[in-house]
Amino acid sequence: MKRIGVLTSGGDAPGMNAAVRAVVRKAIYHNIEVYGIYQGYQGLMNGSIKKLELGSVGDIVQRGGTMLFSARCLEFKTKEGQLQGIEQLKKHGIDGLVVIGGDGSYMGAKALTEHGFPCIGVPGTIDNDIPGTEFTIGFDTALNTVIDAIDKIRDTATSHERTYVVEVMGRNAGDIALWAGLAGGAESILIPEADYDINDIVQKLQRGHERGKKHSIIIVAEGVGSGVEIGKQIEEMTNLDTRVTVLGHVQRGGSPTAVDRVLASRLGAYAVELLLEGKGGRAVGIEKNQLVDYDIIEALARKHQINMDMYKLSQELSI
């Protein structure tokens, strides 16, 4: 292993830059050349590849987003696109690849692995929906962004005696909604992993109103449905003044928290270690604060699990 490549793909996540920095500096520490691949798999196919030095990743550990940029690439899902990417890797003499991203990015790494090219997946997504790791890079930062927004919304909800529905990201996973709802004291949390009855939510709001409660916060994960539609339904059924806030892509931005910077640094460096050991087709993660790695193909066959004990606790605390 003399040269490795690194790319970021899919949705950006705070901490990706810290992971890129770790890959570059860990590799150079071991006298391995590193090449950055820009615009994800699209850039790989197009040959947007440039050698990175120590200074290339200076002053980025605190920055959100990704210095390597990212792009969606449907063409890379085809065998022809994958082989075109491998030709570019061979052209630049790259022996192994670190892919930082979510499950869509892992699918690309899986495809390259099946073609015989060694890849290591690093979980970078705010959704926290990658099997095999307790936390993904960017989740903690996004979570704190959401909690900060909930705290601010509660101030105005209290002032105007309103019910607020807050829609958060997470795609098909409810981790952001659950963690933010529990930390923010939400009255109800709607996640894709658990069925809900709108009548139960309405009854809880009505009980609170009867005992003098003046405001409520309801968190809706985007995988459940439209927060706007749920807000309209609640207002029609309760006659309570209801507002809806869709937080959107603000959740992806911002300087990564210390937790995400450290996690990204550990995972990025560990990915390089695996390549140096001659391993490919692996993904890295964190479990009980210990670094782990697992077969990337097996990982994609698993289903992400949410902590249902936390969900039950959130219901018990929001009576």
Side-chain angles (χ1 to χ4, degrees):
M1 191 72 60
K2 295 181 179 179
R3 291 181 181 178
I4 66 172
V6 57
L7 65 80
T8 53
S9 177
D12 62 302
M16 279 186 165
N17 279 329
V20 171
R21 174 180 178 271
V23 169
V24 172
R25 296 201 168 184
K26 177 76 170 183
I28 292 176
Y29 178 84
H30 289 283
N31 298 313
I32 305 295
E33 292 183 352
V34 188
Y35 283 73
I37 299 164
Y38 293 79
Q39 290 90 33
Y41 290 117
Q42 186 67 60
L44 175 59
M45 292 174 55
N46 296 339
S48 298
I49 301 172
K50 179 182 177 182
K51 186 177 180 181
L52 299 177
E53 306 289 355
L54 287 175
S56 303
V57 292
D59 195 31
I60 67 168
V61 72
Q62 80 282 10
R63 297 182 184 177
T66 164
M67 63 163 281
L68 295 177
F69 308 110
S70 188
R72 308 287 185 184
C73 183
L74 294 177
E75 192 177 352
F76 198 75
K77 294 183 178 180
T78 67
K79 182 179 180 181
E80 293 74 17
Q82 294 156 12
L83 293 177
Q84 184 177 332
I86 289 176
E87 283 304 309
Q88 287 292 342
L89 291 167
K90 290 180 177 178
K91 176 182 176 181
H92 288 83
I94 296 172
D95 305 310
L97 181 65
V98 176
V99 174
I100 305 167
D103 60 354
S105 306
Y106 274 31
M107 288 297 293
K110 171 180 175 286
L112 293 175
T113 296
E114 291 172 337
H115 288 302
F117 194 89
C119 291
I120 304 294
V122 176
T125 168
I126 68 168
D127 301 330
N128 204 45
D129 61 351
I130 302 297
T133 184
E134 292 178 358
F135 299 106
T136 59
I137 297 166
F139 172 66
D140 187 71
T141 306
L143 175 60
N144 279 279
T145 297
V146 173
I147 292 170
D148 182 62
I150 291 173
D151 290 346
K152 289 179 170 63
I153 289 170
R154 190 176 290 280
D155 288 343
T156 192
T158 304
S159 300
H160 292 273
E161 301 180 289
R162 287 174 177 158
T163 295
Y164 265 84
V165 174
V166 182
E167 181 186 314
V168 302
M169 295 177 80
R171 212 172 52 157
N172 297 317
D175 291 63
I176 293 176
L178 176 56
W179 284 68
L182 183 56
E187 279 66 34
S188 293
I189 304 171
L190 279 59
I191 58 175
E193 296 87 351
D195 295 331
Y196 76 93
D197 187 335
I198 193 68
N199 292 304
D200 292 340
I201 296 171
V202 167
Q203 289 173 11
K204 183 185 288 187
L205 289 171
Q206 290 172 335
R207 287 196 304 269
H209 188 68
E210 289 169 1
R211 71 172 190 263
K213 188 174 178 60
K214 300 298 185 182
H215 69 277
S216 295
I217 302 288
I218 297 168
I219 307 297
V220 178
E222 65 176 343
V224 171
S226 168
V228 174
E229 293 303 318
I230 292 171
K232 288 180 181 178
Q233 193 175 6
I234 289 172
E235 186 167 45
E236 290 171 359
M237 296 177 70
T238 63
N239 288 321
L240 296 174
D241 190 7
T242 304
R243 295 289 188 273
V244 179
T245 297
V246 179
L247 292 183
H249 287 79
V250 67
Q251 296 162 87
R252 280 198 191 162
S255 179
T257 60
V259 169
D260 272 329
R261 297 184 200 191
V262 171
L263 177 63
S265 298
R266 294 178 70 189
L267 293 177
Y270 188 45
V272 174
E273 289 178 12
L274 293 179
L275 286 176
L276 292 176
E277 292 172 6
K279 295 181 179 179
R282 310 292 292 175
V284 298
I286 191 90
E287 291 183 358
K288 298 179 181 178
N289 202 32
Q290 298 297 313
L291 295 172
V292 297
D293 63 279
Y294 45 91
D295 185 278
I296 197 168
I297 297 174
E298 291 181 3
L300 289 171
R302 296 189 229 166
K303 185 178 180 181
H304 168 67
Q305 300 292 327
I306 202 164
N307 189 330
M308 294 307 294
D309 288 336
M310 281 181 56
Y311 181 68
K312 181 182 177 182
L313 176 62
S314 72
Q315 292 179 310
E316 293 172 343
L317 299 185
S318 62
I319 56 174

